[in-house]
Amino acid sequence: MIMLAWFMKWRLVFAQIGAILPALAVAGVTGYASWGHIVHVGQTVQEPSAALLPVAVDGMVLAGAFFALVDRLRGFEPRGWAVICMWLGSALTLTFNILSAVQRGWAAMLISAVFAVTFLATVEAAFHPSHIALGASSRAIKRAARLARKVMRARRGMPSESAVEPSPG
């Protein structure tokens, strides 16, 4: 019984760690792949500081993600610039990844895009948790159905449900 109580107390922590570890793996793999793609494109166009491009692009994504995390930990919605940094950096990374594979064809372009898309999806999942309580969606559907019936009855000139059905009790 004590073991169950201990687990119930710490289950959210275990679940969060279970979510954070794969997210870190995704960030590491996508960052490594993206780094190579960005440097390749920079070198292709003979950019003298091509090796620093990934620091600017992927660094902007990471900075935006951490600023969003700081805001969430403080109990606020992520600041607008943090979201812009994440989306703009992701768009730039996606562009560089696709450009690095143009010469190899459509399949290579799609495969290289996977890295940026998976990173953005993982970050968005981490920073936009659900605010819908379990069962709330079914209650909302029932309320919407009740409202729709009320509107249809009003259009037909019928009395409302409360006038037709006796109240429970």
Side-chain angles (χ1 to χ4, degrees):
M1 191 62 151
I2 292 173
M3 190 65 152
L4 180 62
W6 178 84
F7 175 75
M8 294 303 286
K9 180 179 179 183
W10 292 96
R11 67 182 175 186
L12 185 59
V13 172
F14 293 137
Q16 288 174 329
I17 290 171
I20 289 171
L21 292 177
L24 290 174
V26 168
V29 168
T30 58
Y32 177 79
S34 176
W35 190 283
H37 290 142
I38 294 171
V39 169
H40 171 74
V41 172
Q43 290 171 341
T44 302
V45 296
Q46 298 175 350
E47 172 60 39
S49 55
L52 298 177
L53 274 172
V55 175
V57 175
D58 289 342
M60 179 171 53
V61 176
L62 288 174
F66 279 107
F67 280 123
L69 175 63
V70 167
D71 290 339
R72 284 284 186 192
L73 291 175
R74 292 175 56 216
F76 297 108
E77 288 293 316
R79 61 192 85 184
W81 281 107
V83 175
I84 289 171
C85 284
M86 286 191 300
W87 279 95
L88 179 60
S90 294
L92 288 172
T93 298
L94 180 62
T95 303
F96 278 111
N97 287 356
I98 291 172
L99 287 176
S100 73
V102 166
Q103 295 174 344
R104 293 177 283 143
W106 286 103
M109 290 168 58
L110 287 173
I111 290 169
S112 68
V114 166
F115 297 107
V117 172
T118 56
F119 181 72
L120 179 62
T122 303
V123 168
E124 288 297 315
F127 292 110
H128 293 89
S130 175
H131 296 289
I132 300 173
L134 291 175
S137 58
S138 63
R139 286 191 303 268
I141 291 169
K142 288 176 185 174
R143 272 193 304 248
R146 239 182 283 128
L147 179 63
R149 283 193 303 270
K150 190 182 277 189
V151 168
M152 292 304 291
R153 287 173 188 242
R155 285 185 181 168
R156 292 185 203 140
M158 297 175 67
S160 67
E161 284 181 353
S162 57
V164 174
E165 297 174 6
S167 62

